[in-house]
Amino acid sequence: SSLMSPVYQVTASAPVNIACIKYWGKRDTTLILPTNSSLSVTLSQDNLRSTTTSRSSSSFEKTRLWLNGVEEVIKPGARLDRCLAELRRMRKENVEDKDPSVPKLSTWNLHIASYNNFPTAAGLASSASGFAALTASVAALYGLNAFPQHPSSSYSPPADASQLSLIARQGSGSACRSLFGGFVAWEMGKDSNGRDSLAIQVAPESHWPSLHALICVVNSGKKGTSSTAGMQETVLTSELLKSRIKDVVPSRMSSITQAILAKDFDSFAKITMQDSNQFHAVCLDTFPPIFYLNDVSRAIIAIITELNRVSVEATGHLVAAYTFDAGPNAVIYTESENIKTIIQLLLNYFPIDFAASPFNDSFQLFGVG
Ligand code: 2P0
């Protein structure tokens, strides 16, 4: 009979995002509810994406997952399992219960295959793009991009990415922001059920086309402390985090939103650098302390700081903003006209051995987009 069973299939992809206001800390580790709001830029290059194909058939004997071609174990009750349960529930309630003629995909098993087109060794977070692509692909497979749906209506409203962000968030917090392009806020929300902890688009990518991100791979090795474990150590032990959550992030969220809407690079850059600095300060304030930056990271901070000092003296304006996540790699935000200068400056300090094999532990300039 399996020869007769149709296989439904959808492929979706989602890009990496880099936070300017950092997410670090959960108030609910199961639902993944953060202790502060965050804001990121979704990178638009084609070479930094996850692409996921989801298939559903009544003939599949169990739900299976492959990451870059290697099958992974799906742990019952863990993040992926919870995301899929949520998507099945929405399929049943929003589609199958309203239209008895549709196939009962919510009761069938899935085969999911996800690929990153950037090397995992690039040291970039793949969980954000990965869970965003997975959520988008299963949601499309289940017809959820057309909810609320009336069976007799031919009108399909566009996918509500904020609703899907509620699901992606439960896979990996930062994934909720990768469902939108451009400038994206993850509103922490107030409720204990998480229904208001979702991503919203602050501005589309087209709003500020001259803004670019330059990724400097300092070390492509795996980081020492995972984000998931590290942030909860910070929640448990850092006094500084309490004041960051209460006194710092709320005003930064509104200031950086204003800066983005006004395309005010000086404010955008200053807030981005300050928030990266404070994120690494709360890591140092964790007990025992967590170190993500290394000597090369600190040298990049010094170079960008000096470049900005000279530029402010000459023109009154900043030219670049560094930001670092849970590892030593730098992301530098700048506007189009300064990209060449910054690449030349970095190559002066850190000559790239183009003969060496890619993604060894030497300094690499990964991409501009
Ligand atoms: C961010 N990071 O806002 C911050 C900045 C790392 C530093 O989101 O436990 O992988 O899966 O929700 O999303 C990394 O945290 O953690 C992260 P989980 P996630 O981009």
Side-chain angles (χ1 to χ4, degrees):
S1 79
S2 80
L3 285 176
M4 304 294 290
S5 311
V7 176
Y8 296 83
Q9 166 177 326
V10 169
T11 298
S13 91
V16 166
N17 74 73
I18 304 291
C20 297
I21 305 294
K22 306 296 190 188
Y23 151 51
W24 197 253
K26 296 181 183 70
R27 63 183 201 272
D28 183 317
T29 54
T30 307
L31 289 172
I32 308 195
L33 303 179
T35 48
N36 62 257
S37 297
S38 56
L39 187 144
S40 58
V41 179
T42 299
L43 303 187
S44 60
Q45 292 130 300
D46 284 341
N47 61 349
L48 294 170
R49 303 182 76 92
S50 297
T51 300
T52 305
T53 299
S54 300
R55 297 193 172 109
S56 177
S57 168
S58 61
S59 69
F60 292 164
E61 283 169 10
K62 61 172 188 160
T63 291
R64 302 171 70 183
L65 170 73
W66 291 262
L67 293 182
N68 294 317
V70 178
E71 185 161 12
E72 302 278 320
V73 177
I74 301 177
K75 292 197 198 91
R79 292 161 170 222
L80 176 75
D81 194 41
R82 292 176 52 84
C83 286
L84 295 179
E86 194 66 1
L87 287 157
R88 284 194 189 98
R89 183 188 61 75
M90 288 169 81
R91 164 75 182 179
K92 184 171 185 307
E93 288 175 11
N94 293 310
V95 182
E96 293 169 8
D97 289 353
K98 289 182 178 154
D99 182 357
S101 71
V102 301
K104 303 281 183 279
L105 300 193
S106 70
T107 65
W108 299 355
N109 286 311
L110 291 158
H111 284 180
I112 301 166
S114 189
Y115 288 87
N116 298 327
N117 68 356
F118 53 96
T120 308
L124 294 162
S126 58
S127 67
S129 54
F131 272 106
L134 183 139
T135 301
S137 107
V138 177
L141 180 70
Y142 284 179
L144 300 179
N145 48 349
F147 68 89
Q149 196 179 50
H150 190 273
S152 65
S153 165
S154 60
Y155 170 72
S156 290
D160 185 339
S162 283
Q163 290 302 305
L164 295 185
S165 80
L166 295 167
I167 299 167
R169 187 201 73 222
Q170 297 177 57
S172 186
S174 53
C176 72
R177 300 187 310 237
S178 272
L179 284 167
F180 290 95
F183 302 84
V184 187
W186 173 11
E187 305 279 7
M188 65 179 287
K190 290 192 181 81
D191 292 352
S192 56
N193 62 17
R195 299 303 299 175
D196 58 354
S197 185
L198 44 73
I200 56 161
Q201 190 181 55
V202 169
E205 188 202 338
S206 58
H207 168 70
W208 198 349
S210 62
L211 189 76
H212 293 271
L214 173 63
I215 296 159
C216 309
V217 177
V218 169
N219 183 322
S220 58
K222 236 183 132 50
K223 60 198 173 205
T225 306
S226 79
S227 295
T228 305
M231 66 175 74
Q232 287 320 98
E233 286 297 314
T234 304
V235 168
L236 286 173
T237 63
S238 171
E239 291 294 319
L240 183 56
L241 182 72
K242 294 176 190 163
S243 111
R244 166 172 171 74
I245 291 166
K246 189 166 140 303
D247 306 324
V248 180
V249 174
S251 63
R252 274 190 192 157
M253 284 295 290
S254 57
S255 314
I256 202 165
T257 298
Q258 292 313 308
I260 290 163
L261 294 176
K263 288 177 264 186
D264 174 354
F265 185 80
D266 288 310
S267 300
F268 172 83
K270 185 176 178 199
I271 298 165
T272 294
M273 291 186 282
Q274 287 177 318
D275 207 69
S276 173
N277 294 346
Q278 189 174 75
F279 157 53
H280 292 281
V282 300
C283 288
L284 183 61
D285 192 48
T286 302
F287 195 81
I290 303 167
F291 302 101
Y292 288 122
L293 305 181
N294 67 17
D295 287 347
V296 176
S297 316
R298 284 185 283 271
I300 292 172
I301 294 176
I303 291 164
I304 298 299
T305 301
E306 179 63 8
L307 176 70
N308 280 332
R309 189 189 63 77
V310 170
S311 174
V312 166
E313 239 173 50
T315 70
H317 293 291
L318 301 176
V319 292
Y322 57 79
T323 188
F324 298 82
D325 287 335
N329 301 328
V331 174
I332 296 171
Y333 286 112
T334 189
E335 292 189 283
S336 317
E337 66 266 25
N338 302 314
I339 290 172
K340 202 174 157 190
T341 310
I342 290 166
I343 291 177
Q344 281 170 346
L345 185 64
L346 290 170
L347 288 177
N348 268 341
Y349 284 92
F350 306 105
I352 290 178
D353 179 2
F354 287 103
S357 67
F359 303 104
N360 60 10
D361 277 1
S362 65
F363 184 85
Q364 309 269 342
L365 286 173
F366 190 73
V368 188

